[in-house]
Amino acid sequence: MPLKNYALLKGRPINNRLATGASPHYQVLISADGTLYRIAINVRSQDGSEVEFLVRSHFEHPIVDGLKQFGEGLHEVQSKPGGVALDFIRANLMQPWELKPLPMSAAGPDNDLNEKIDSYVQRAMSDEEALIYAFGDTWGPEEKADRFFGFRPGRGIHDIHFNQGNPPGSHDQDNGPWQDGGLIFEFPAQQQWVAIFLKFQSQAWHSDDDSGGVILPKDSDHPNAPHTPPSRDQIPPFDVPDGLVRIIAAYVNDVRTPERETVTLLNTADVEVDLDGWQIKDKHKNAMTLSGKIAAGATMVVPIAAPVALSNKGGIITLLNASGVKVHGVFYTREQAAQPGRTIPFQF
């Protein structure tokens, strides 16, 4: 069963509380046109393991254009592609190897999650134009006052983290696609967006498109063990699909009509890879099937065919193997696609 009340909260941060051992959530008090809410950000797992995090200090993604359309307040978000719903995997928000574990608190500067989050919350509180966008599951309104900030009625948003890939018996009732949590900051004066994404180490990266439950790959000796993707610079083994073949460029805005669109693939393996049955998907999850083989260390330019289309307004491109498991994915913005005839390169 997915989250009951997946939503987006947009407002001004006006107070905060650091996470502690007794309360392992970083708390933010939000004013949305005068209505108060609390954001509860989990920075420690129940099993005591460190939480994986990623900070995008210059966040660029097609959803930014959608976020600008929302007014302050709490907004229901539909869990589907093409809108502003977050999905770490399917919206290509990151590569799995970018997520790094970090403790809730530790001695020394800038080396724990409390400090990572607090630096941007403090900056936003000192900037009268700054806004926070929090994705997660809502609670309230409650009859009692909020336990941290005392406002009444208590209400807010939590589950500000990856909400899929939970193993059986451990929060698997919350699994679902297109319902991930996240914290995004807008600093209008600097024309800067910042995103913070969190994931528990117990959560598998690959999940089922329908249920958000754990799928491949699995260790036959430990079937419930989470999947650990290779690092960015590690050559991926064949039983771990992440990054084996990578999308390195796309041609999305042609100078001719009708437009010609292409995606360029790179085989990182030392042997050829058979692409029969593989798929490329666009931001609306339209799919086209691939065929042929890509030689070891070689690139292949793939002509895009209907129903897949690469929008000039920004989009995502996803590569799946013959088992339907994501191998790689990228995104591009409206600005990147604005100049006809130019190929967009991707760094991953």
Side-chain angles (χ1 to χ4, degrees), residues 49-71:
S49 62
E50 295 178 352
V51 175
E52 296 177 337
F53 85 102
L54 171 64
V55 175
R56 288 253 189 258
S57 58
H58 293 279
F59 180 61
E60 295 179 321
H61 193 277
I63 68 165
V64 167
D65 289 336
L67 293 178
K68 295 175 183 177
Q69 309 306 313
F70 286 88

Side-chain angles (χ1 to χ4, degrees), residues 280-291:
I280 285 178
K281 289 188 175 183
D282 61 20
K283 70 177 180 180
H284 296 294
K285 299 308 170 186
N286 298 314
M288 58 171 280
T289 303
L290 305 183
S291 61

